[in-house]
Structures are given as C-alpha cells and as structure tokens.
C-alpha cells in the first residue's frame, strides 16, 4: 500500500514542481476554447449549440498533451526500471501513476469548464450536465491514454503516434459524454448516456492498468 | 581465490542465487547461452567482457527486467522472486531532478523497502551519509554533478536493504574516495550475507569474488 501512495505522491509533486502538468493542459483548454468561440462568431444560439461537443473535444486534446510524459520521463531517467522490482504489483503502481495524471490533468479541465461555458453562452443546466459527464468520463481518458503512453514509451517522437493510437479509442467517450448533455438539453433522460460513460470508465479502470503494465514490461526488456 | 565464509552467524540475508542454463537473445541474436551461476550468501561475482558481450543484459535478466530466452534464475527460497530481492544499479540513476535528494531517497524507501514510516527519515540520512551526500539533503537533485548523481543512485542500495546487488559499471564517473566508499559498502553488504554481482571495466576491489568473462558467442563459465 505504501508503495502506491509513494508513487502517487511523487507524481503529484513532480507535476506541481515542474509545471507543465496542470497549468499546461488547462491553459491549452482555455485558450483553444476561446479561439473556437471567436471562430464560431457572435451568435449566442450557435455557440450554445456547439458548446457541449466543443468542450468535450478540447478536453480530449488537452488530456492528450500531457499523456506522452506519463511514462516517458521515467523511462528517460531510468526510474521506470525500478517499478517492476517493487514488491507491489506493476499494474497497481501504474494505476497510481494514471490516477495522479487524472488529478493533474482531468480535474483542472473540469474546474476550467465553467469559464468556457460562459464564453459559449451555455445555459446553467447544460453546464451542470457537462460537468457531470466530464467527471464521469475524464478518468477513462487518462486510463485509456495510459495504454497508449505505455505502448509508445521509448519511441522517439512517440507523441504523434500516441495521438493516432488513442484518439480513435476516445470516440465512444466523446459520443456518450456529449450525448448526455444533448439529451438533457432536449428534455430527454441523460441517464443511459451517463451509465454507458460510467461503464467505459469502469471497464478501462480494470483493463487499462493491466494492459499498460504489459506494454511497459515489453519495452523494458 | 577462495570465496569468503558462505554464511556468518547473525547475518541479515540468507539467500543464495542459482542461475541455470541461461540464454540471452537480443533482437533475434544469441548473445550468450548455457550460462550457469551458483552464488551462496556473501559471495560476489565480477563480470567482465568486451562491449556488447551481454554484461548489462545478464544483470537486467537477473533483475527481472528481461525475460530469459532459456534457463532459470532462482533463489533457495522458491517463494521469493529474485527481482524483488535485488537492486539493479544501471547506467541511468533513476533520479528525479526536480525533487530534493531527501525526497528521491524517501521515494526509493517507500517503493522498494519495507521500512516503517517513523524510521524512514532516519533511513534517508543513513543512506545519504553512506555516499557522503547528507549535507545536500534539501537541495534539488538538478544541482548535482554527474559523479554526485551516480553516488545518489548508489544510496538506493542502503535506503532499501535487499539481498542481491546487481551493479552495472558502478564506478563509472566516481572519484577515488567514492570508489573506496562503494568498496566498503560492498564489503559490509557481503559481511551481512548479501550477494554482489558487478560488471566493471575498471579494477574494483571485490575480495574473493568469482569472475565470469563473457565473450561474444560464449558458453560456459570459468569460476
């Protein structure tokens, strides 16, 4: 147990000390959101219509920005070699790293969403549903992204390959995440969408650490 | 060349390492095969050989990072996993430059050791003193020189006690005084029943150590 806490705490500390982590993703999210709002033009109804999908797409991209560092930095300085020799199972340690990634990337995006909602003229009840769907869905982004990060560790310029591998896997998350907001905006029940979104998060919670650990072992050998 | 007493009374570690018929393939090429080793507590092995003869691969294999193409690596207690009883000091130190020396060592203790939280702070000091870096405990590691980073990497050996030390070129970049400290660390470790397997191109004092010379396409061991 203590090894998990140790890995989790170290990754949080590094994200805060080195900058880059929380501020970079959130900065991208807010700036790209502002650009999108300007690009769509000053039509309040159009903006509110585009907002749920736009915010979700930007969240995917912002998450992708920091994914390639999840294991790459540890690989480069040799600290990744230490993880398999801990007496705690590797998938559990990987899960601790992914959780730290979500806290420093996914959570800031959720907190920044009300700012974009203001820019996009998103109604309050839609904003609340957007926040709920992001809260349920963004852990899946970090978890699935962890698989891609583990697969591309040690590859020069792996970031682009990572995007190509991971973005298609994000499609279901995007569909159900946006679907929940659209459903509640049009007076339908958003629960089926949220349930499927939650299922995606839970399935990846189980499978992603195992898959990432297997990919890491492959690269270390 | 006689190995020291296998087991001493009151020794900390009582594990022996047995490697049988080990083969290593890297990208489809056979690096070595048919390698056998038998190390009792307190024994040491010095691995030599030209570049590319598989010295690092051998250590990474024992350390559990590479799967052997053939053969087994076991300890006398079949319950134990070799990788979890060994420290691998490789070419990279595994140091986080944004963390202080103390935080780096505390992380290794938490990840690799079984030290109660209240004893961890003292252990950090012990480990940093062993490599003569205790006066820099609260400095970020990015201010260290290359040799000091090597020494900080070696502090891991003391931070989390483990029976088997796998040292890949541990003297690289160390000054004479630090090499002396490393030799003393290895001697103390073996006195407690620990096993040391080291590779080195430089002469390193490892009294009574077996020697293993790997040559390209070798098979067999010369103790």
């Amino acid at each position: 147990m203590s090894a998990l806490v140790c890995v989790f705490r170290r990754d949080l500390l590094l994200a805060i000390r080195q900058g880059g982590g929380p501020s970079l993703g959130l900065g991208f999210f807010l700036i790209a959101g502002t650009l999108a709002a300007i690009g769509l033009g000053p039509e309040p109804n159009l903006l509110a219509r585009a907002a749920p999908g736009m915010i979700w797409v930007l969240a995917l991209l912002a998450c992708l920005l920091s994914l390639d560092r999840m294991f790459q930095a540890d690989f480069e300085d040799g600290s990744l070699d230490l993880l398999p020799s801990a007496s705690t199972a590797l998938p559990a340690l990987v899960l601790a790293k992914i959780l730290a990634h979500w806290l420093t990337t996914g959570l800031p995006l959720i907190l920044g969403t009300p700012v974009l909602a203001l820019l996009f003229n998103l109604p309050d009840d839609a904003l609340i549903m957007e926040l709920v769907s992001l809260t349920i869905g963004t852990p899946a982004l970090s978890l699935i992204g962890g698989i891609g990060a583990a697969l591309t560790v040690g590859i020069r310029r792996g970031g682009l390959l990572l995007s190509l591998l991971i973005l298609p896997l994000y499609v279901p998350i995007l569909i159900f995440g946006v679907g929940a907001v659209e459903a509640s905006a049009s007076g339908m029940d958003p629960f089926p969408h949220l349930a499927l979104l939650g299922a995606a998060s839970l399935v990846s919670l189980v499978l992603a650490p195992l898959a990432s650990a297997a990919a890491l072992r492959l690269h270390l050998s | 060349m006689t190995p020291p007493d296998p087991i001493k009374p009151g020794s900390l570690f009582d594990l022996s390492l047995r490697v049988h018929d080990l083969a290593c393939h890297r990208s489809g090429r056979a690096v070595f095969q048919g390698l056998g080793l038998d190390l009792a507590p307190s024994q040491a092995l010095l691995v030599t050989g030209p570049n590319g003869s598989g010295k690092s691969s051998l250590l990474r294999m024992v350390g559990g990072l590479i799967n052997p193409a053939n053969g087994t690596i076991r300890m006398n207690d079949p319950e134990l996993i070799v990788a979890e009883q060994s420290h691998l000091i490789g070419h990279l130190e595994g140091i986080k430059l944004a963390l202080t020396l103390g935080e780096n060592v505390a992380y290794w203790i938490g990840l690799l050791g079984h030290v109660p939280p209240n004893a961890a702070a003292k252990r950090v000091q012990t480990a940093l003193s062993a490599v003569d870096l205790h006066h820099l405990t609260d400095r970020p590691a990015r201010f260290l020189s290359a040799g000091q980073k090597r020494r900080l990497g070696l502090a891991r050996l003391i931070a989390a006690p483990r029976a088997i030390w796998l040292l890949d070129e541990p003297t690289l970049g160390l000054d004479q005084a630090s090499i002396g400290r490393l030799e003393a660390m290895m001697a103390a470790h073996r006195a407690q029943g620990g096993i040391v397997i080291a590779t080195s191109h430089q002469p390193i004092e490892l009294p009574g150590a077996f020697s293993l010379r790997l040559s390209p396409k070798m098979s067999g061991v010369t103790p």
Side-chain angles (χ1 to χ4, degrees), chain A residues 2-4 6-7 10 13-14 17-18 73-88 93 217 219-221, chain B residues 26 60 63-67 83-84 86 88 92-96 98-100 103 106-114 156 162:
Chain A
S2 71
L4 295 183
C6 224
V7 169
R10 184 192 70 148
L13 200 61
L14 283 172
R17 288 256 176 96
Q18 291 176 326
D74 282 2
F75 178 78
E76 281 163 8
D77 64 24
S79 42
L80 200 58
D81 282 354
L82 301 182
L83 294 186
S85 75
S87 35
T88 312
L93 297 172
R217 276 196 188 281
H219 277 286
L220 288 176
S221 65
Chain B
R26 301 303 278 160
R60 287 177 76 82
L65 291 176
I66 304 182
N67 286 330
E84 293 174 10
S86 54
L88 176 65
L92 297 167
E93 292 87 7
I95 295 170
K96 285 293 173 196
L99 302 182
T100 67
E103 285 165 343
Y107 167 69
W108 292 330
I109 293 175
L111 181 69
L112 304 170
H114 300 278
R156 197 161 77 226
R162 289 186 163 193

Side-chain angles (χ1 to χ4, degrees), chain B residues 7-8 11 16 40 61-62 69 76 78 86 88 105 119 144 151 218 221:
Chain B
I7 302 171
K8 291 180 178 169
S11 59
S16 55
M61 229 175 233
V62 177
N76 51 350
S86 54
L88 176 65
V105 177
L144 295 183
R151 275 153 63 189
M218 63 79 62
V221 186

